[in-house]
Amino acid sequence: MTQLTMAKAINEGLRRAMADDPKVLLMGEDIGKLGGVFRITDGLLDQFGAQRVIDTPLAEAGIMGTAVGLAFRGYRPVVEIQFDGFVYPAFDQIVCQVAKLHYRTRGNVTMPITIRIPWAGGVGAAEHHSESPEAYFVHTSGLRVVAVSNPQDAYVMLRQAIASNDPVVYFEPKRLYHSKGEVDLDADLADAPPMGLARVAREGSDVTLLTYGAQVTTALDAATAAEDEGVSIEVIDLRSISPVDYRTVTASVRKTGRVVVTHEAAREAGVGAELIASVTERCFNHLEAAPVRVTGHDIPYPPAKLEKHHLPDLDRILDAVDRVLDRPNSLTGVEL
Amino acid sequence: MTQLTMAKAINEGLRRAMADDPKVLLMGEDIGKLGGVFRITDGLLDQFGAQRVIDTPLAEAGIMGTAVGLAFRGYRPVVEIQFDGFVYPAFDQIVCQVAKLHYRTRGNVTMPITIRIPWAGGVGAAEHHSESPEAYFVHTSGLRVVAVSNPQDAYVMLRQAIASNDPVVYFEPKRLYHSKGEVDLDADLADAPPMGLARVAREGSDVTLLTYGAQVTTALDAATAAEDEGVSIEVIDLRSISPVDYRTVTASVRKTGRVVVTHEAAREAGVGAELIASVTERCFNHLEAAPVRVTGHDIPYPPAKLEKHHLPDLDRILDAVDRVLDRPNSLTGVEL
Amino acid sequence: MAHTQTPTADVATDIDDVARLVTPEGERISDPDLDRWVEDADTSLLQSLYRDMVLVRRVDTEGVALQRQGQLGLWAPCQGQEAAQVGTARAFRSDDFVFPSYREIGVNFVRGAKPADFVLAWRGEEHSTYNPYDINTATPQIIIGAQALHAVGYAMGIQRDGTDQVAAAYFGDGASSQGDVNEAMVFASSFRSPVVFVCTNNQWAISEPVTVQAKFPIAGRAPGFGIPSMRVDGNDALACLAAMRWALDNARRGNGPAFIEAVTYRMGPHTTSDDPTRYRDKDEVERWRRRDPIARIEALLRAEGAFDEGFQSDVAAAADALGAGVRAAALEATSRAPIGVFDHVYAEPHSGLEEQRGWFGAYLEGFSTEEVAR
Amino acid sequence: MAHTQTPTADVATDIDDVARLVTPEGERISDPDLDRWVEDADTSLLQSLYRDMVLVRRVDTEGVALQRQGQLGLWAPCQGQEAAQVGTARAFRSDDFVFPSYREIGVNFVRGAKPADFVLAWRGEEHSTYNPYDINTATPQIIIGAQALHAVGYAMGIQRDGTDQVAAAYFGDGASSQGDVNEAMVFASSFRSPVVFVCTNNQWAISEPVTVQAKFPIAGRAPGFGIPSMRVDGNDALACLAAMRWALDNARRGNGPAFIEAVTYRMGPHTTSDDPTRYRDKDEVERWRRRDPIARIEALLRAEGAFDEGFQSDVAAAADALGAGVRAAALEATSRAPIGVFDHVYAEPHSGLEEQRGWFGAYLEGFSTEEVAR
Ligand SMILES: Cc1ncc(C[n+]2csc(CCOP(=O)(O)OP(=O)(O)O)c2C)c(N)n1
Ligand SMILES: Cc1ncc(C[n+]2csc(CCOP(=O)(O)OP(=O)(O)O)c2C)c(N)n1
Ligand SMILES: [Mg+2]
Ligand SMILES: [Mg+2]
């Protein structure tokens, strides 16, 4: 076990995947000499050379489209999108090609492409640098979508994503890049929990709190705070948001009967909507209260000085917990 | 009142909007001499000239980006995307520019752009020609999204969309283009129901069936069939899927206590997820059963000969109705 | 370079400003750029080009007929473009990899597509039939221009593998406007990748004449990206073969990408759903009919005394057999079972989809039981 | 045109292959293409160019300082690019409409941006401050290349209004790779719209040298699209002014788009978050320091005897005042109230958002009551 930041854990995950399989290539803007704007690819150009760590022209559709061609040729491209807000020029190639080619070719062509996206807010960034676009990919059949919350998962799940023969969108919460944790660098993928499995990050009995990515930290903080008030929250780190591990989720909900979901992305047709719809469908008779979402507002990401009023924080989560527990909360008396 | 096909009603809506406001322009591929591949713009080039009916180069990002520039200049572009599956190259301009410019400029710049999308399946088309991408836009803050189900709405709501100072994505169900209905061509927009209002398409008391677009027809057929079995279904045509008229929706759900949602789009993080999450949140104590979705599978749109096994039809809807009524259904005994 | 650059002359619509080896009348002429690439062009090569084009036209005619008879949902005819497709495609090695668009019937024919491969997708049975690796040809692309990038990426893979293969992308004049095609030129130039872009300028993108996309020759764009280009008579199979050999050789020798604009004409509608009388003159079509690519080689062969009855009947027989094969493939097609819609979404087990497959299976079962019960 | 086109010479990195009116040493020279556009270039014009550049540099220095002091979240310095920005922007009429990128501090200064307009967005108070219609300049664009299309669309609007205004887009060498920029050239050429593309080739796109984007001069691309172009010394304010006047005049007279590549250098980091020592040589930076755009005009003015103390102290005072204004604007900034995040999402009432605003309002209220209660 080694103490690593999440950024370093991802770096090590890439290094290991490249060492294990010569078909693994990295592509992106500024990933070479600079090591990426977040230094995630630091040292990899030196170690693996310019044929495998490719600084591309500044064009995301171009990056994704050439990654598709490389996959046709048997390569396993790992694409870095520089920031969450710059994935949209590549959207057509992702939705129409990356996600559909295996289906289109009746399984003859695989698209083992990993799309790494430094992701979400809370870092005081400029416009387009704090987006949470995950629902777009969750809604896109043919993709898998994961979001990591700690260095160990970041390391293992990246390797799993790269090893997968399916395309995987891999979300890296920017605001956790510098957070540290134990990482087992020798982890054998065969022994590691599969990429699709959710993790009970904290056990609890009163309320199930579903989340992923950086919000796991916020959720755990909320659970600690709630404990002081005598409320026991079970926090589930989904890890994979498509598919979702409903076995773990429903087991928890059947136990608690109360559900709060939190994510940074906008609420409308977000991942939270899917979680609540699915949980309601699966656990209706166990629910004691309507599941509640705590999400970003349905607004464009606001200027940095205002982001704290947009991002769901501990207080907003606790307010929602009060709501599912039918205790006084901000919406008490408000008709929905 | 005149009997018109939906295609003709949309054509008349465009004609009227162009006649009313010289700032309204049409842009798209093949919309000039050809009148569009669905003939929706038939005759408009002749009537309004090439300065207002613009055959563009074959590049959707280009169309959307130049529409943004025209909006900056005070124009009201109505963009035709030739088929649902070709909107993705324009996604970046839609998400980062069209949806956000009003916010970014603190209201100084408006984006009165209408994006018309011939939409969804059931017409035996080739790949990429039967997509239901509406959830992507519903999840995008800053846009409004409507989906029409009959010629009268098509005519009035198109004019409302064009008159709106907000960007509106306007979905036209291809498989209803040739369906006919009464249209009041002299409709005064001031008297018409606002674009954001849902419509109770058929009253009923046992189950609320929420849908939009071409599925309204299927839903009404299902309601008729259910009546024979003594089940009274209230069908709500949402018309606007962002924002949703929850006043109308919750009034119905509070009455019936049972909800089925149907749409063609994939299930995961689709509009149905949002509807169920919101309805559950708003009407939990009135719900007698878990709301159920009947949607396209979470697969890429299948080849035409198989689309009937993908699209939710009358039988699948009735099966879901059985489920919310706790009557024997395909999932009886299946653990979710 | 000069600091100030003005565009080349506006000849986008000058269809005779092209490199050519056989005139529309069937006369063999010389071209300084092309000659060296077809020194082997003897009668038998010309005959085989002719033969391939006739067979391709037969596939096309059969496709249109099958669509009219309701056997196919749609068909995108390639009539008029046989030389551009067959001529260029014949220059490939079998281990080169080709990314075609939906209209490249002739390219796929040369690559080795089987009769069923031409019709089952248009029939709506499958999105695609052949295994791309069997004929080193990707599934025909419908998203305009997307495949140009795929070809560049594939070529980047070739570079990494150190082989002398070449990747190629086919796209239309309309596609030249797409960002993807331009980004493909940027990437190909930046990485000097072994890729050939073949832009089939058939004068139309559905109803839009090429002048909506380009007021200047499309071939003139590539050099700005550092890519040598050639504008060739797309109705001259020999010239197309020569140009493609030049481009492939250039790539194979490590000189990077090349661009070919094949100037030709879409004789038919865009697809069987299209009505070209709404937007183009009969005269234009008639003018191009006089440049027919098959008639041109036929005239040359006749002049050379190499168009005897034996040859003609051989070709006719092969065409008939192929046509019958295509027809049979359409008529004998069967559809996948309903539950088959779930096949091949993912390459590895997927808990969500497996569950949905189960639900739908239960539904189908219950449904059939019910049917039986009634 | 010739049927076969080979690219122009590989001079992407030849920074002296440019049109120029003032040498790096400050000598006024003649250029056959540019001379006629600056016949009015007397001392006072040169002084005012100098003055503007000094003021812009002061804004830039102040921005960097404010960021270092934690007053701004980020800053994208324009040092080294003052001539490319000021020189071109000075050619506009106030009723032309400009679409800048995030680095066009000098362009926005010339357009009339106020001190607060330079800092409040980087401070994170607002996405943008000025009303675009007040200075006929769009909000600086962060999505690389997107604004090129906006400028073309705006120019299409100008055409419809029948005025002789011009739209312009500024973007970088990196942006030249984006599909949007290339599509912008396609549309501009197709519609012959009055738009000028200014590509600021500052040699770097963050850590990537221009050779990743282009092995051949970027200015060489436009002619392939039918757009005349000019490659100009971007550190020569007079040459930039002249080139832009040529381009604007061309557009104003109805001849359609033009393209300018201003060859310059980003002296600083990409942004204050960047560490250029990781990817570029100090030597390169030093070489470019000797081509400083401000020093160059200063040398010329000195040679002309027009750089006396009075002028110098006037400029210094103006720069100090502007710097102080920028600083004050940052320090005095206040943030919107929390509920203000909901402002201006839609132009018209929106039931969903109003409801959410209400919920959040209730939450904020309850929260403050609670706070008080504790
Ligand atoms: C991204 C995208 N936009 C629009 C279309 C619809 N469409 C199909 S073919 C076509 C015209 C293509 O013209 P061209 O590139 O010249 O090829 P051709 O059909 O002439 O072979 C269009 C607009 C599409 N398939 N993909
Ligand atoms: C679509 C998109 N992709 C990536 C980025 C991240 N990014 C910001 S600036 C930049 C480099 C831009 O280089 P260039 O166009 O040369 O402009 P310069 O910064 O040199 O002025 C990159 C990659 C972005 N803002 N937008
Ligand atoms: Mg064409
Ligand atoms: Mg640059």
Side-chain angles (χ1 to χ4, degrees):
Chain A
M1 285 289 198
T2 329
Q3 273 274 344
L4 295 181
T5 61
M6 180 180 286
K8 184 67 182 155
I10 299 173
N11 174 275
E12 291 295 344
L14 291 172
R15 190 185 315 276
R16 177 67 185 270
M18 294 183 82
D20 285 354
D21 184 349
K23 292 293 185 190
V24 174
L25 300 177
L26 312 189
M27 309 174 70
E29 296 158 6
D30 305 293
I31 65 169
K33 271 197 187 171
L34 183 62
V37 296
F38 295 105
R39 308 291 183 269
I40 303 297
T41 53
D42 193 25
L44 300 178
L45 174 66
D46 282 349
Q47 187 171 343
F48 298 103
Q51 291 296 303
R52 297 188 62 198
V53 180
I54 309 173
D55 260 344
T56 65
L58 208 179
E60 289 77 10
I63 300 171
M64 203 60 65
T66 51
V68 168
L70 280 157
F72 255 102
R73 179 77 188 181
Y75 283 89
R76 307 182 83 84
V78 182
V79 167
E80 172 173 306
I81 296 293
Q82 194 161 82
F83 275 85
D84 35 53
F86 309 143
V87 70
Y88 307 117
F91 202 67
D92 177 56
Q93 286 284 347
I94 296 174
V95 170
C96 296
Q97 310 297 334
V98 175
K100 293 191 169 78
L101 263 160
H102 190 261
Y103 194 68
R104 179 180 308 149
T105 62
R106 309 161 80 208
N108 285 307
V109 177
T110 55
M111 284 287 127
I113 298 175
T114 302
I115 304 174
R116 290 184 38 237
I117 307 189
W119 168 59
V123 295
E127 200 188 355
H128 308 292
H129 291 71
S130 305
E131 304 271 305
S132 291
E134 65 269 21
Y136 297 129
F137 302 106
V138 169
H139 185 59
T140 303
S141 307
L143 302 176
R144 294 174 189 267
V145 187
V146 303
V148 298
S149 70
N150 60 73
Q152 172 71 17
D153 276 358
Y155 175 71
V156 173
M157 289 171 70
L158 179 59
R159 289 176 54 204
Q160 291 171 324
I162 295 171
S164 167
N165 283 323
D166 289 318
V168 180
V169 186
Y170 175 96
F171 283 103
E172 309 172 358
K174 288 190 287 282
R175 70 177 152 110
L176 296 187
Y177 271 149
H178 301 298
S179 74
K180 287 194 173 174
E182 295 287 318
V183 179
D184 176 7
L185 288 175
D186 303 319
D188 193 333
L189 289 195
D191 303 335
M195 193 170 69
L197 230 60
R199 178 177 66 97
V200 178
R202 178 190 170 115
E203 293 200 10
S205 53
D206 299 333
V207 175
T208 298
L209 180 51
L210 301 175
T211 192
Y212 52 92
Q215 280 298 99
V216 172
T217 306
T218 316
L220 289 170
D221 290 348
T224 306
E227 194 172 35
D228 295 344
E229 303 185 27
V231 176
S232 167
I233 297 182
E234 178 146 306
V235 177
I236 297 188
D237 176 0
L238 294 170
R239 296 174 9 118
S240 171
I241 51 177
S242 181
V244 165
D245 169 12
Y246 279 111
R247 212 181 297 219
T248 302
V249 169
T250 55
S252 175
V253 175
R254 293 202 169 112
K255 176 172 71 177
T256 63
R258 299 175 200 273
V259 183
V260 173
V261 181
T262 180
H263 56 60
E264 292 188 21
R267 170 188 164 96
E268 207 179 354
V271 171
E274 176 60 40
L275 290 167
I276 292 188
S278 286
V279 162
T280 304
E281 194 169 4
R282 290 161 195 269
C283 310
F284 185 71
N285 292 326
H286 296 82
L287 287 179
E288 309 278 352
V292 166
R293 285 174 281 179
V294 190
T295 69
H297 311 298
D298 287 333
I299 62 174
Y301 203 87
K305 292 272 184 190
L306 300 173
E307 69 180 336
K308 60 177 174 292
H309 308 305
H310 176 63
L311 298 176
D313 59 8
L314 184 147
D315 287 312
R316 281 174 64 201
I317 292 174
L318 291 179
D319 183 54
V321 167
D322 284 341
R323 200 156 138 221
V324 296
L325 287 167
D326 214 8
R327 308 200 309 184
N329 65 85
S330 68
L331 294 188
T332 303
V334 173
E335 215 206 316
L336 296 184
Chain B
M1 287 291 197
T2 329
Q3 272 273 346
L4 295 181
T5 61
M6 180 180 287
K8 184 65 182 158
I10 299 172
N11 174 274
E12 290 295 342
L14 290 172
R15 190 185 313 275
R16 176 66 185 269
M18 294 184 81
D20 284 355
D21 183 348
K23 293 291 183 191
V24 174
L25 300 177
L26 311 190
M27 309 174 70
E29 296 157 6
D30 305 293
I31 66 169
K33 270 197 187 170
L34 183 63
V37 296
F38 294 106
R39 308 292 184 269
I40 302 297
T41 54
D42 192 26
L44 299 177
L45 173 66
D46 282 348
Q47 187 171 343
F48 298 103
Q51 289 297 302
R52 297 187 63 198
V53 180
I54 309 173
D55 260 343
T56 65
L58 207 179
E60 288 78 10
I63 299 172
M64 203 60 65
T66 52
V68 168
L70 280 156
F72 255 101
R73 178 77 190 181
Y75 283 88
R76 308 182 84 84
V78 182
V79 167
E80 172 172 307
I81 297 292
Q82 195 163 81
F83 275 85
D84 34 53
F86 310 143
V87 71
Y88 306 118
F91 202 67
D92 177 57
Q93 286 284 347
I94 296 174
V95 169
C96 297
Q97 310 297 335
V98 175
K100 291 190 170 76
L101 264 160
H102 190 260
Y103 194 68
R104 179 180 308 149
T105 62
R106 309 161 79 208
N108 284 306
V109 178
T110 54
M111 284 288 127
I113 298 176
T114 302
I115 304 173
R116 290 183 40 236
I117 306 188
W119 169 58
V123 295
E127 201 188 354
H128 309 292
H129 291 70
S130 303
E131 304 272 304
S132 291
E134 64 269 22
Y136 297 129
F137 302 105
V138 169
H139 185 58
T140 304
S141 307
L143 302 176
R144 293 174 189 266
V145 187
V146 302
V148 298
S149 70
N150 61 73
Q152 171 71 16
D153 276 358
Y155 176 72
V156 173
M157 289 172 69
L158 179 61
R159 289 175 54 203
Q160 291 170 324
I162 296 172
S164 168
N165 283 324
D166 290 318
V168 180
V169 186
Y170 176 96
F171 283 102
E172 309 172 357
K174 288 190 286 283
R175 70 178 151 111
L176 295 188
Y177 270 150
H178 300 298
S179 73
K180 286 194 173 175
E182 293 287 317
V183 179
D184 176 7
L185 288 175
D186 302 319
D188 192 334
L189 287 196
D191 303 336
M195 193 170 68
L197 231 57
R199 179 177 65 98
V200 178
R202 177 190 171 115
E203 293 199 12
S205 53
D206 299 332
V207 175
T208 298
L209 180 52
L210 301 175
T211 193
Y212 52 93
Q215 280 298 99
V216 172
T217 306
T218 316
L220 289 170
D221 290 346
T224 305
E227 194 172 37
D228 296 343
E229 304 186 28
V231 176
S232 167
I233 298 183
E234 179 146 306
V235 177
I236 297 189
D237 175 1
L238 294 169
R239 298 177 6 121
S240 171
I241 51 176
S242 180
V244 165
D245 170 11
Y246 280 112
R247 212 180 296 218
T248 301
V249 170
T250 55
S252 175
V253 175
R254 294 203 169 111
K255 177 173 69 177
T256 63
R258 302 178 197 270
V259 183
V260 172
V261 180
T262 180
H263 56 60
E264 292 188 22
R267 168 187 165 98
E268 208 179 352
V271 171
E274 176 60 40
L275 290 167
I276 291 186
S278 285
V279 161
T280 304
E281 195 168 4
R282 292 160 194 268
C283 309
F284 185 70
N285 292 326
H286 296 83
L287 287 180
E288 310 277 352
V292 166
R293 286 174 280 178
V294 190
T295 69
H297 311 299
D298 287 334
I299 61 174
Y301 202 87
K305 291 274 183 189
L306 299 172
E307 68 180 337
K308 60 176 171 295
H309 310 303
H310 176 62
L311 298 175
D313 60 8
L314 185 147
D315 288 311
R316 281 175 62 200
I317 292 173
L318 290 180
D319 183 53
V321 167
D322 284 341
R323 199 155 138 220
V324 296
L325 286 168
D326 215 9
R327 309 204 304 187
N329 66 85
S330 68
L331 295 187
T332 302
V334 174
E335 215 204 316
L336 296 183
Chain C
M1 77 167 205
H3 317 141
T4 311
Q5 299 209 322
T6 43
T8 52
D10 177 352
V11 293
T13 48
D14 183 350
I15 57 176
D16 283 312
D17 186 29
V18 288
R20 176 179 286 157
L21 289 172
V22 183
T23 68
E25 293 73 32
E27 192 191 339
R28 179 77 163 80
I29 58 173
S30 165
D31 180 279
D33 292 321
L34 297 182
D35 285 343
R36 58 176 288 228
W37 299 105
V38 284
E39 280 167 5
D40 63 337
D42 55 10
T43 301
S44 88
L45 176 70
L46 291 172
Q47 282 184 331
S48 76
L49 286 172
Y50 173 86
R51 182 179 186 281
D52 281 359
M53 291 196 288
V54 169
L55 264 63
V56 168
R57 185 162 294 180
R58 174 60 63 93
V59 174
D60 194 51
T61 317
E62 204 63 51
V64 172
L66 284 164
Q67 197 281 334
R68 296 277 178 249
Q69 292 153 20
Q71 292 296 330
L72 305 181
L74 194 73
W75 184 261
C78 71
Q79 199 195 325
Q81 303 178 206
E82 294 89 350
Q85 298 190 0
V86 168
T88 54
R90 285 283 301 271
F92 290 118
R93 281 196 334 221
S94 68
D95 66 342
D96 293 332
F97 204 97
V98 180
F99 291 83
S101 89
Y102 48 87
R103 203 185 298 285
E104 263 72 58
I105 301 164
V107 173
N108 282 21
F109 170 77
V110 172
R111 297 299 289 166
K114 303 241 153 29
D117 299 332
F118 298 111
V119 286
L120 293 193
W122 291 127
R123 191 177 159 89
E125 301 294 357
E126 299 292 345
H127 288 320
S128 76
T129 47
Y130 57 87
N131 178 341
Y133 299 113
D134 285 345
I135 59 172
N136 286 332
T137 302
T139 300
Q141 182 61 249
I142 288 177
I143 299 296
I144 299 295
Q147 73 277 21
L149 284 165
H150 304 169
V152 176
Y154 193 96
M156 290 167 65
I158 292 173
Q159 288 177 293
R160 278 154 186 78
D161 295 341
T163 70
D164 70 345
Q165 293 157 276
V166 179
Y170 284 80
F171 50 82
D173 46 305
S176 70
S177 294
Q178 285 282 10
D180 278 10
V181 168
N182 291 280
E183 293 186 8
M185 290 201 273
V186 170
F187 277 64
S189 172
S190 181
F191 297 124
R192 221 185 159 98
S193 303
V195 60
V196 178
F197 301 112
V198 182
C199 176
T200 305
N201 175 356
N202 64 4
Q203 312 301 319
W204 293 92
I206 308 188
S207 74
E208 298 188 355
V210 60
T211 49
V212 170
Q213 322 292 337
K215 297 269 183 282
F216 295 79
I218 296 170
R221 287 190 192 164
F225 292 91
I227 300 176
S229 73
M230 196 179 281
R231 191 165 197 253
V232 68
D233 185 336
N235 285 17
D236 174 351
L238 197 60
C240 289
L241 175 69
M244 196 68 185
R245 284 177 171 179
W246 157 74
L248 288 169
D249 178 74
N250 182 70
R252 246 186 261 297
R253 283 189 296 111
N255 294 337
F259 187 105
I260 292 173
E261 177 190 355
V263 178
T264 177
Y265 197 75
R266 192 195 80 209
M267 296 299 294
H270 170 67
T271 65
T272 45
S273 295
D274 182 35
D275 173 11
T277 64
R278 290 179 71 97
Y279 55 80
R280 71 181 186 186
D281 280 351
K282 271 205 187 126
D283 290 359
E284 184 183 277
V285 182
E286 285 317 310
R287 268 199 310 282
W288 277 94
R289 201 175 302 285
R290 292 197 291 276
R291 302 165 75 97
D292 184 80
I294 298 182
R296 188 181 301 201
I297 300 288
E298 176 180 332
L300 177 58
L301 286 171
R302 277 190 198 281
E304 293 189 1
F307 200 72
D308 60 27
E309 266 190 28
F311 173 64
Q312 286 183 56
S313 65
D314 275 3
V315 172
D320 286 345
L322 179 58
V326 166
R327 167 160 294 266
L331 299 186
E332 289 160 15
T334 54
S335 302
R336 270 194 257 175
I339 197 76
V341 296
F342 287 96
D343 291 350
H344 305 303
V345 179
Y346 295 94
E348 296 180 7
H350 185 284
S351 61
L353 205 64
E354 272 151 39
E355 192 179 30
Q356 271 187 34
R357 187 194 193 103
W359 297 343
F360 192 57
Y363 168 79
L364 290 171
E365 230 168 78
F367 193 69
S368 62
T369 327
E370 214 178 288
E371 287 285 84
V372 171
R374 271 178 192 166
Chain D
M1 72 169 210
H3 316 139
T4 310
Q5 300 210 323
T6 43
T8 52
D10 176 352
V11 293
T13 49
D14 182 351
I15 57 176
D16 283 312
D17 186 31
V18 288
R20 176 180 284 159
L21 288 172
V22 183
T23 67
E25 293 72 34
E27 192 191 338
R28 179 75 162 79
I29 58 173
S30 165
D31 180 281
D33 291 322
L34 297 181
D35 285 344
R36 58 175 288 225
W37 297 105
V38 285
E39 280 166 5
D40 63 336
D42 56 10
T43 302
S44 89
L45 176 68
L46 291 172
Q47 284 185 329
S48 76
L49 286 172
Y50 173 85
R51 183 179 186 280
D52 281 359
M53 290 196 288
V54 169
L55 265 62
V56 167
R57 185 163 294 180
R58 175 59 65 90
V59 174
D60 193 50
T61 318
E62 204 63 52
V64 173
L66 285 165
Q67 196 280 336
R68 297 276 178 249
Q69 291 153 22
Q71 292 295 329
L72 305 181
L74 194 74
W75 185 261
C78 71
Q79 199 195 324
Q81 303 179 205
E82 293 90 349
Q85 296 189 1
V86 168
T88 54
R90 285 284 300 274
F92 289 118
R93 281 195 336 220
S94 69
D95 66 342
D96 293 332
F97 204 98
V98 181
F99 291 83
S101 89
Y102 48 87
R103 204 185 297 286
E104 263 73 57
I105 301 165
V107 173
N108 281 21
F109 170 77
V110 172
R111 297 301 289 167
K114 305 242 151 29
D117 299 331
F118 298 110
V119 285
L120 294 192
W122 291 125
R123 192 179 159 86
E125 301 293 358
E126 300 292 346
H127 288 320
S128 77
T129 47
Y130 58 87
N131 178 339
Y133 298 112
D134 285 345
I135 59 173
N136 286 331
T137 303
T139 300
Q141 182 61 248
I142 289 178
I143 300 295
I144 299 296
Q147 73 276 21
L149 284 166
H150 305 169
V152 176
Y154 193 95
M156 289 166 66
I158 292 173
Q159 289 176 291
R160 276 153 188 79
D161 296 341
T163 70
D164 69 346
Q165 293 157 276
V166 179
Y170 284 80
F171 50 82
D173 47 305
S176 70
S177 295
Q178 285 282 11
D180 278 11
V181 168
N182 291 282
E183 293 186 7
M185 290 201 273
V186 170
F187 276 65
S189 172
S190 181
F191 297 125
R192 222 185 159 97
S193 303
V195 61
V196 178
F197 301 111
V198 183
C199 176
T200 305
N201 176 356
N202 64 3
Q203 312 301 319
W204 292 93
I206 310 187
S207 74
E208 298 188 355
V210 61
T211 48
V212 170
Q213 322 293 337
K215 296 270 184 281
F216 295 80
I218 296 170
R221 288 190 193 164
F225 292 92
I227 301 176
S229 74
M230 196 178 281
R231 192 166 196 251
V232 68
D233 185 335
N235 284 18
D236 174 351
L238 198 60
C240 289
L241 175 69
M244 196 69 184
R245 284 178 171 176
W246 158 73
L248 288 169
D249 178 74
N250 183 70
R252 245 186 263 296
R253 284 189 295 109
N255 294 338
F259 187 105
I260 292 173
E261 177 189 356
V263 178
T264 179
Y265 196 75
R266 194 195 78 208
M267 295 299 295
H270 170 67
T271 64
T272 46
S273 296
D274 182 36
D275 173 10
T277 64
R278 290 179 70 99
Y279 55 80
R280 72 182 185 185
D281 280 350
K282 271 204 185 128
D283 290 358
E284 184 183 277
V285 182
E286 284 318 308
R287 268 200 311 282
W288 277 94
R289 201 177 301 285
R290 293 197 290 277
R291 302 165 75 98
D292 184 80
I294 298 183
R296 188 181 301 201
I297 299 288
E298 177 181 330
L300 177 58
L301 285 171
R302 278 190 198 280
E304 293 190 0
F307 200 73
D308 60 26
E309 266 190 26
F311 172 65
Q312 286 182 55
S313 65
D314 275 6
V315 172
D320 286 345
L322 179 58
V326 166
R327 167 160 294 265
L331 300 185
E332 290 160 14
T334 55
S335 301
R336 271 193 256 175
I339 196 78
V341 296
F342 287 97
D343 292 349
H344 304 304
V345 179
Y346 294 94
E348 295 180 7
H350 185 285
S351 61
L353 205 64
E354 271 151 38
E355 192 179 30
Q356 270 187 34
R357 186 193 193 105
W359 297 343
F360 192 57
Y363 168 79
L364 289 172
E365 230 169 77
F367 193 69
S368 62
T369 328
E370 215 177 288
E371 286 286 84
V372 171
R374 272 177 191 166

